Amino acid sequence: MEDKQPLMEHSGIWVDEEGNWFYYGNPIIREDIIQLFYEHIQTIPGNGYVIEWQGKLNPIDVDDTPFVITRVDWDEDEQRIKTLWITLKHLPEREILNPSTLFIGKNNVLYCKIRNGLFIARFSRPAYYQIAQLIEEENGSFVIRIGGKTHFIKDSTDQVY
C-alpha cells in the first residue's frame, strides 16, 4: 500500500474484540456491508486499521483485531490431520490455516495470521476449544501436528497488533 494517501477523519466505525462492527455505537447488522469492509480493510503501521474506500483511508477503531475465527474444521485420513480450515466471523468462505503462524498473545488468547500473513485473527472461545483438541505439550512447549509436521505455537505476548 502506498503511504502517501492522507488519512481521513475518524469514520465512526468500531470493531469490538468479538468481531462485532458498530457505527457510532450502533451495531452494523448488514452482512454485505461488513463483507465490503473486509474487502477494503488494510493495516497501516502505527495507525492501526483503515478501510480504503474511493481512494481515501478511513481509520477505524479496533479493540483487538477485526478478524475473529468462529470455527475450526479439519480434513484427515488414516488418523492424521491433513488440513485445518478456519471460518471467520461475517465471512462466508473458509480459509486454510497455516499452523506455523499460530501464537499465544496477550491474556493467553490464541491468534494466527490469515490472508497470506497480512492480518492477525483471534480465535473465539468456541474455535479455541475446537483447535485445543489438537494441541499437545512437548518439552514444555505447545505444538500442533498437521500433515506429518510439528508446528510450535509461539508465545508472543509482546506481539504488536
Side-chain angles (χ1 to χ4, degrees), residues 82-107:
K82 292 174 27 182
T83 306
L84 288 175
W85 294 91
I86 54 175
T87 301
L88 296 162
K89 189 171 190 171
H90 303 296
L91 296 173
E93 299 90 21
R94 294 188 309 169
E95 184 171 322
I96 293 175
L97 170 68
N98 178 348
S100 68
T101 68
L102 288 166
F103 67 93
I104 300 168
K106 61 185 174 186
N107 299 321

Side-chain angles (χ1 to χ4, degrees), residues 32-100:
D32 59 329
I33 298 294
I34 295 172
Q35 290 171 16
L36 182 69
F37 291 160
Y38 279 119
E39 291 172 13
H40 295 275
I41 197 166
Q42 299 177 3
T43 58
I44 297 179
N47 285 309
Y49 293 91
V50 297
I51 296 173
E52 182 182 22
W53 183 249
Q54 297 180 337
K56 297 177 183 169
L57 300 177
N58 301 283
I60 63 173
D61 286 334
V62 177
D63 283 349
D64 191 358
T65 172
F67 296 94
V68 175
I69 299 166
T70 58
R71 182 176 176 83
V72 178
D73 297 293
W74 52 85
D75 298 331
E76 62 185 301
D77 65 0
E78 300 173 9
Q79 300 179 343
R80 190 165 100 175
I81 305 295
K82 292 174 27 182
T83 306
L84 288 175
W85 294 91
I86 54 175
T87 301
L88 296 162
K89 189 171 190 171
H90 303 296
L91 296 173
E93 299 90 21
R94 294 188 309 169
E95 184 171 322
I96 293 175
L97 170 68
N98 178 348
S100 68

